[in-house]
Amino acid sequence: MTALRKTTVLFSSALLSMIVLPGLSRADITLLNRNNNLPMLNGLELQFGGLIRPQYRNKMGSADDHTYTQRGYDSGSFIHTSVNYYFNDDISLLWYYEVGFDIFNELGAGSHYDHNKDTTFRRKNYIGIASKRYGTLTFGQQNSVLYSVIGAKTDVWDNDMHGQASNNGVNGNYDGSYRGKKLLKYVKDAGPATLSASWDAPVDDYYVESDNVRYQRQTGGAGGIDYHVAKDLTLSAAYSYTRANIISRVPVRGGANTAGYNQEVTAIGAQWKPGNWTLAATAGYYHDFIPRHTARVPAAYFEGQARGWEYMAAYRWPVASRVITAIKPYLAGDGMRWDHFQTNHTDLGIAAELPHGFQIDYERTFSNTSDNQPDENWVRLWYRF
């Protein structure tokens, strides 16, 4: 079967699912309910879900002609399972596992994926104990405090995350800014506020192939707060600290092979959802966190100071139709500043929500950057289950 035919099968199967699976929704599929009257399993709850997300990307000016992104590719498909065991109405044990995969790689559509990337990879894997009264304590690979409190508020359109810490460090899984590995996290509701704190345990070194260096996280921690001013308005702040080393794999002429850094991120955010509107904005200050744009060596690997921000305004129109359930136009953007370098992106898009967990987006990115990034067009199909 050719790559074209396999790609056609993928999209045809997705559309067929809309017809033959009318009961599916965006909520996870419950495999086993609590209070199931099974011996020893009465407190057990099992759920399963995921997302299939093929996408088309086109850079203006023929910058990406004949690349896999212009032919259609996977932009972050995953499946997950969650297990909760309730001892009573207050206390439960939990386990969450999420694995990402490339649907085109799985189909063998060779011209639609990066052959240097893994077919599957672990996104999250953590265990914990939850209590409505005492809070939730988890350990493993999971969303960081920085991402949960700040980044997630503006990680909601296609070409996003260019102004926040979670997408601009060495690697968000290793520096603890995104889906941090070996992360101990505690979350507790306290009146109108949700408090979060975490500790980052040491992890295996991350090899930065382009610079021939290893990033070594020694330890770190973070704290954050979501203050719910009203039911539809949340103000947030977070701080993250990471102690890390940059280690060159080859001798550095006239310099040290190893350099230590105290990486800091301070960020604020706001989200307001009045009626059908969604308004969100975040901003951050990054100290020794953003890699330098050029000439990176261990002793001068990070920008000493950098600033970034993101924003979005969207309005969701419900539609009384069997084909489209809602239309959501939006305006979004981001910016970064350090030294004499800057990036600015403005995104105009529209999302069409379809029945049974499907959605299709179109987005146009207008770029104004020091390195002359091109404008881009994005088309993304979602299927949530």
Side-chain angles (χ1 to χ4, degrees):
M1 184 182 291
T2 65
L4 177 60
R5 288 185 62 191
K6 290 179 178 179
T7 304
T8 303
V9 168
L10 170 67
F11 283 90
S12 299
S13 299
L15 293 174
L16 180 62
S17 298
M18 295 176 62
I19 301 172
V20 302
L21 300 175
L24 286 181
S25 66
R26 296 182 185 180
D28 285 355
I29 301 168
T30 299
L31 304 178
L32 183 65
N33 275 311
R34 181 190 175 194
N35 298 323
N36 49 58
N37 296 320
L38 295 175
M40 304 295 294
L41 300 178
N42 192 55
L44 187 63
E45 180 182 78
L46 302 177
Q47 292 185 317
F48 173 82
L51 174 69
I52 296 176
R53 191 162 58 182
Q55 178 170 274
Y56 165 84
R57 177 183 182 184
N58 174 240
K59 296 181 180 180
M60 305 304 292
S62 303
D64 61 345
D65 281 1
H66 311 297
T67 63
Y68 74 94
T69 59
Q70 202 178 62
R71 300 186 185 102
Y73 66 103
D74 192 295
S75 66
S77 297
F78 63 86
I79 56 175
H80 65 247
T81 184
S82 60
V83 180
N84 293 277
Y85 188 86
Y86 293 87
F87 294 101
N88 51 49
D89 289 338
D90 181 53
I91 299 176
S92 63
L93 296 178
L94 64 91
W95 173 60
Y96 183 91
Y97 183 79
E98 184 174 290
V99 60
F101 64 94
D102 189 314
I103 188 67
F104 291 102
N105 194 328
E106 296 291 347
L107 291 172
S111 61
H112 293 264
Y113 64 90
D114 184 346
H115 290 244
N116 294 319
K117 290 186 177 181
D118 294 335
T119 303
T120 60
F121 55 94
R122 188 179 66 193
R123 289 165 56 104
K124 298 176 186 177
N125 183 22
Y126 60 89
I127 59 174
I129 183 169
S131 167
K132 297 176 183 177
R133 181 178 180 182
Y134 299 107
T136 300
L137 181 68
T138 50
F139 179 77
Q141 184 171 1
Q142 57 188 306
N143 286 340
S144 68
V145 169
L146 198 61
Y147 179 79
S148 299
V149 175
I150 303 296
K153 290 179 172 58
T154 47
D155 181 16
V156 288
W157 67 96
D158 287 359
N159 189 26
D160 57 10
M161 298 181 70
H162 292 295
Q164 62 172 274
S166 301
N167 190 50
N168 288 284
V170 170
N171 183 298
N173 295 340
Y174 290 85
D175 62 27
S177 64
Y178 194 7
R179 292 188 284 264
K181 295 187 174 185
K182 293 186 179 180
L183 187 72
L184 182 67
K185 182 179 175 183
Y186 177 69
V187 180
K188 174 73 166 65
D189 289 330
T194 300
L195 306 177
S196 302
S198 68
W199 171 66
D200 300 345
V203 294
D204 296 337
D205 295 356
Y206 173 70
Y207 175 47
V208 186
E209 184 176 1
S210 59
D211 300 327
N212 204 19
V213 301
R214 291 184 290 117
Y215 176 87
Q216 181 185 76
R217 187 181 83 196
Q218 296 181 312
T219 189
I225 180 172
D226 281 315
Y227 188 81
H228 309 290
V229 180
K231 185 178 180 180
D232 58 4
L233 175 62
T234 302
L235 303 180
S236 307
Y239 171 80
S240 174
Y241 168 82
T242 304
R243 176 64 184 172
N245 292 328
I246 294 293
I247 306 169
S248 177
R249 293 174 56 117
V250 296
V252 178
R253 181 178 298 179
N257 289 345
T258 303
Y261 290 91
N262 296 307
Q263 300 182 281
E264 296 179 277
V265 175
T266 305
I268 57 174
Q271 187 179 66
W272 188 30
K273 292 186 174 183
N276 292 337
W277 284 95
T278 296
L279 306 172
T282 61
Y285 170 77
Y286 316 122
H287 173 68
D288 283 343
F289 185 83
I290 308 295
R292 292 164 60 94
H293 193 61
T294 57
R296 292 191 287 263
V297 294
Y301 196 82
F302 296 102
E303 294 292 342
Q305 301 181 56
R307 305 179 306 278
W309 58 89
E310 298 180 342
Y311 59 88
M312 181 187 189
Y315 187 87
R316 182 179 181 275
W317 270 293
V319 178
S321 167
R322 297 183 61 182
V323 179
I324 298 176
T325 59
I327 295 291
K328 185 173 70 175
Y330 57 88
L331 167 68
D334 59 73
M336 288 282 287
R337 298 288 187 277
W338 63 84
D339 289 341
H340 302 293
F341 192 86
Q342 67 170 11
T343 65
N344 297 281
H345 302 100
T346 302
D347 302 280
L348 292 174
I350 186 167
E353 298 177 15
L354 312 176
H356 319 306
F358 283 82
Q359 178 176 314
I360 188 167
D361 306 340
Y362 169 74
E363 184 173 302
R364 174 64 183 261
T365 299
F366 300 91
S367 301
N368 178 15
T369 67
S370 296
D371 57 352
N372 298 315
Q373 296 175 17
D375 295 349
E376 299 185 65
N377 291 297
W378 307 75
V379 180
R380 176 184 285 179
L381 174 67
W382 309 61
Y383 174 52
R384 302 176 179 90
F385 58 94

